[in-house]
Amino acid sequence: MKIAFLNPSGQLGGAERSLLDILASLRAAEPGWDMRLVATADGPLVSGAESLGVHSTVLPLPPALAQLGDGGADGAGKGGSLLKLLRAGPTAAAYASRLRETLRELAPDVVHSNGFKMHVLGLWTRPRRTPVVWHVHDFVGRRPVMSMLLRSHARRCAAVVANSRSVAADVTAVCRGVVPVHPVYNAIDLDVFNPAGQTLDLDAAAGIPTPHSGTVRVGLVATLGWWKGHETFLRAVSLLPRDLPFRAYVVGGALYETADSQHSLDHLRNLAGRLGVFDRVGFTGYVPDAAAAMRALDVVVHASTEPEPFGLVIVEAMGCGRAVIASQAGGAAELITAGENALGHRPGDAAGLARCIEALVRDRDLRLRLGEAGRATVERSFDRARLAAELAPIYRAVAVGRN
Ligand code: GLC
């Protein structure tokens, strides 16, 4: 079996980390399979794939296409997105001919596309009769332009893999049931996301003095995507009593090339200042070793204000045995049992989040209990060995029934 994986970036966002776990899982379970990666930029995704023995080709995306984000292809929010998309048409056609050539040389049995642009480009450029599997990591139903494009291409797609049941339901509705949709939860490397291992000095990373011993560390770990709930988190911090012995951390930095889809750290620092909590928050910026950062925290916060399609950070923090607070909507709500292996709050509810933080800062036993239960959950259900077991039959089925 030869599979070509197409990815519309070279950076490590959630979809790319998920892809690396898939590659590692398939590599271990199906050592005879030939897996290739085509990425639109060099970077940690490509080096990660290469280190797994997956040969990679970089086909740089022209800036006009790179900046056209999944958000940018969405007529809902920002005016003019459809126009941008149409303007990018000729550039896309030129790019497609290079991708077509690359795929012709690779001659895969299956193409696996990992991101909106590649779902469409993959279908345009696949060699004749080569099945394309879309791996959908986001909700598309509320994005009119993207929905329209996926719906109009869905008949030619062989199968869809969705990262949660919520996303599977959404994409099934968007594609009006014309293509089989398989929910496959992401999974992680339990040896990396483990309670034992190095810890990061978060205070040094943030350039602030070490707090008193006994200070509980509570961190939002996320990219700076505008919907990741940084504002909710900072507001929650501002609602907590001044003498509550904790320090808050914003862990993460800017990631996407797409304009308008993320906060800047400066904006968040200013917001912390306006809310009067600047002295209670450390901003670490991007940290390469997320597991070490999570192990340095007592409580890991996930605070997305929109339904989270999956929420890798939730299972990663559970893997590290940390107490987790998650925003309960979308796929994220499928991952936790609130009160048992995590605490939950409503998306955007700063007061609710503040209550969860306070309960955990005050109760060490609760933190330990949730951390242990979280670790047990990921050992049971989110070990990446599962990925090959779920995906291999899908690839085999589409390769046999080439459409
Ligand atoms: C996307 C989703 C996120 C998910 C990740 C991996 O980034 O927004 O929820 O964890 O993909 O599937």
Side-chain angles (χ1 to χ4, degrees), residues 136 138-142 147 165-175:
V136 177
D138 288 293
F139 291 107
V140 280
R142 280 188 290 169
S147 293
R165 291 183 195 287
S166 309
V167 168
D170 179 71
V171 70
T172 302
V174 164
C175 296

Side-chain angles (χ1 to χ4, degrees), residues 9-21:
S9 104
Q11 291 303 316
L12 282 187
E16 289 76 21
R17 285 187 290 134
S18 157
L19 176 57
L20 286 179
D21 283 311

Side-chain angles (χ1 to χ4, degrees), residues 3 25-26 29 38 58 95 127 383:
I3 308 177
S25 184
L26 288 169
V38 180
V58 176
Y95 187 76
D383 182 337

Side-chain angles (χ1 to χ4, degrees), residues 14-15 137-138 163 186 227 308-312:
H137 292 270
D138 288 293
N163 59 356
N186 292 312
W227 56 283
E308 178 75 54
F310 178 84
L312 266 176

Side-chain angles (χ1 to χ4, degrees), residues 130 149 249 399:
T130 305
L149 281 168
Y249 298 85

Side-chain angles (χ1 to χ4, degrees), residues 54-368:
V54 175
H55 184 68
S56 307
T57 307
V58 176
L59 277 190
L61 208 57
L65 277 185
Q67 281 152 19
L68 189 74
D70 284 1
D74 165 12
K78 322 243 164 359
S81 312
L82 188 55
L83 199 65
K84 262 197 219 160
L85 193 71
L86 293 174
R87 280 205 195 112
T91 325
Y95 187 76
S97 74
R98 298 179 55 207
L99 182 57
R100 185 172 298 116
E101 183 62 16
T102 304
L103 286 177
R104 198 181 56 74
E105 278 164 22
L106 289 179
D109 298 303
V110 175
V111 169
H112 173 130
S113 59
N114 199 47
F116 174 72
K117 282 173 217 168
M118 284 305 185
H119 299 333
V120 175
L121 282 169
L123 284 174
W124 289 1
T125 60
R126 61 175 168 166
R128 237 167 78 78
R129 294 169 58 80
T130 305
V132 174
V133 175
W134 288 347
H135 194 172
V136 177
H137 292 270
D138 288 293
F139 291 107
V140 280
R142 280 188 290 169
R143 299 165 155 194
V145 177
M146 198 190 295
S147 293
M148 179 203 54
L149 281 168
L150 287 191
R151 186 177 305 130
S152 60
H153 287 78
R155 258 180 214 292
R156 297 161 59 201
C157 167
V160 177
V161 171
N163 59 356
S164 65
R165 291 183 195 287
S166 309
V167 168
D170 179 71
V171 70
T172 302
V174 164
C175 296
R176 307 225 163 99
V178 302
V179 52
V181 178
H182 307 272
V184 176
Y185 285 128
N186 292 312
I188 54 173
D189 185 343
L190 293 183
D191 294 332
V192 171
F193 293 97
N194 190 288
Q198 285 195 328
T199 57
L200 183 73
D201 184 339
L202 294 170
D203 303 297
I208 52 178
T210 312
H212 301 298
S213 71
T215 301
V216 177
R217 292 187 159 90
V218 180
L220 177 74
V221 182
T223 62
L224 297 190
W226 60 266
W227 56 283
K228 290 292 182 182
H230 294 84
E231 183 166 340
T232 310
F233 180 58
L234 293 174
R235 283 191 194 285
V237 172
S238 77
L239 297 174
L240 288 164
R242 271 266 148 203
D243 59 357
L244 192 69
F246 80 104
R247 180 175 275 173
Y249 298 85
V250 169
V251 181
L255 183 65
Y256 305 110
E257 289 174 69
T258 28
D260 304 334
S261 62
Q262 58 196 337
H263 294 298
S264 70
L265 272 183
D266 279 345
H267 165 82
L268 294 176
R269 283 200 186 91
N270 286 338
L271 179 61
R274 285 203 301 282
L275 291 168
V277 295
F278 193 73
D279 60 327
R280 306 179 81 184
V281 187
F283 293 87
T284 66
Y286 171 74
V287 298
D289 186 350
M294 288 178 184
R295 280 190 288 266
L297 291 165
D298 300 291
V299 179
V300 175
V301 175
H302 162 270
S304 295
T305 53
E306 302 268 301
E308 178 75 54
F310 178 84
L312 266 176
V313 76
I314 297 170
V315 289
E316 290 170 349
M318 284 176 163
C320 292
R322 270 33 210 168
V324 173
I325 304 173
S327 149
Q328 277 185 288
E334 300 169 37
L335 307 179
I336 68 159
T337 308
E340 278 180 31
N341 56 11
L343 296 186
H345 70 286
R346 278 187 298 110
D349 177 9
L353 175 57
R355 280 194 296 278
C356 294
I357 294 175
E358 181 161 6
L360 286 170
V361 171
R362 294 199 191 280
D363 189 343
R364 180 167 181 276
D365 289 346
L366 179 61
R367 295 200 297 274
L368 296 181

